[in-house]
Amino acid sequence: MINFQQVSKTYPGGHIALEKVNFHLKAGELAFLTGHSGAGKSTLLKLISLMERPSAGTVMINGVDLNTISKSQVPFIRRDIGMIFQNHRLLSRHNIFDNVAFPLVIEGMHRKNIEKRVHAALDKVGLLNKVRCYPETLSGGEQQRVGIARAIVNSPPILLADEPTGNLDPELSWEILKLFEDFNQHGTTVLIATHDLGLIARMKYHSLTLNKGRLLHDPLMDTVS
Ligand code: ADP
Ligand code: ADP
């Protein structure tokens, strides 16, 4: 599903964020991506979601080599990927319905269909009762669940989360992880970047560990090296 072969990323100015990273994440897997701040976690996720391009190496998503993707094809690849951020990135002037509907509106989906999908997504994260509320009236955990509803509203096969529990207390973090686990059990491939090692230790999943842009070997992971 997600395959990195000798992937390096150097930012303008010369900073090497990733160096010769190899890994393979199979369809239907859930894995964590860990490492200190600055280790390259966000960069790795951005290469999958086409927000950044590699300086060298090959990123394959679903058998498609992202190096061969033209600019006009980018939105189509992105539809297969739901992104969740630490700070939710919700639109404060729009209510919860409109925030979750956003990716579908951009796709040009019909209103009736949008309504059905937004309600289904909000139901999954337990927030149907907040559909007309504005983000600022919701708690941090609820805002994060809206961000998750927005990421899964078009049922993407891949879900990427960048420090999704960074601003939440342990109890809420656990609830969010249970949500990811639930999506994964329904077939979604999930990759979660986090520095919360305590959280990972409570779960049985593989983790990819980055150290200054290099991937440390996880004997459990199906690494291509
Ligand atoms: P993490 O998510 O593990 O904290 P990042 O991928 O955000 O790590 O960053 C890896 C390194 O690349 C850091 O040193 C960061 O400062 C640098 N970096 C990230 N984005 C950019 C950018 N757009 N331009 C220059 N350097 C960047
Ligand atoms: P997040 O925590 O949401 O991943 P960051 O605060 O790491 O976001 O980065 C915000 C933006 O700044 C990103 O687009 C990232 O690529 C960019 N960035 C991060 N580090 C640097 C850096 N050292 N130089 C330039 N841009 C950077």
Side-chain angles (χ1 to χ4, degrees), residues 11-12 15 17 36-43 52:
Y11 282 110
H15 185 88
H36 296 296
S37 179
K41 303 183 296 297
S42 292
T43 300
E52 292 284 355

Side-chain angles (χ1 to χ4, degrees), residues 119-140:
H119 282 105
L122 284 173
D123 191 29
K124 274 188 199 139
V125 300
L127 284 179
L128 258 186
N129 56 330
K130 302 285 186 185
V131 68
R132 299 289 157 208
C133 297
Y134 283 78
E136 61 180 14
T137 67
L138 269 54
S139 71

Side-chain angles (χ1 to χ4, degrees), residues 11 42 46 52 85-87 89 162:
Y11 282 110
S42 292
K46 284 174 185 170
E52 292 284 355
F85 305 95
Q86 173 171 359
N87 52 9
R89 303 195 183 171
D162 198 351

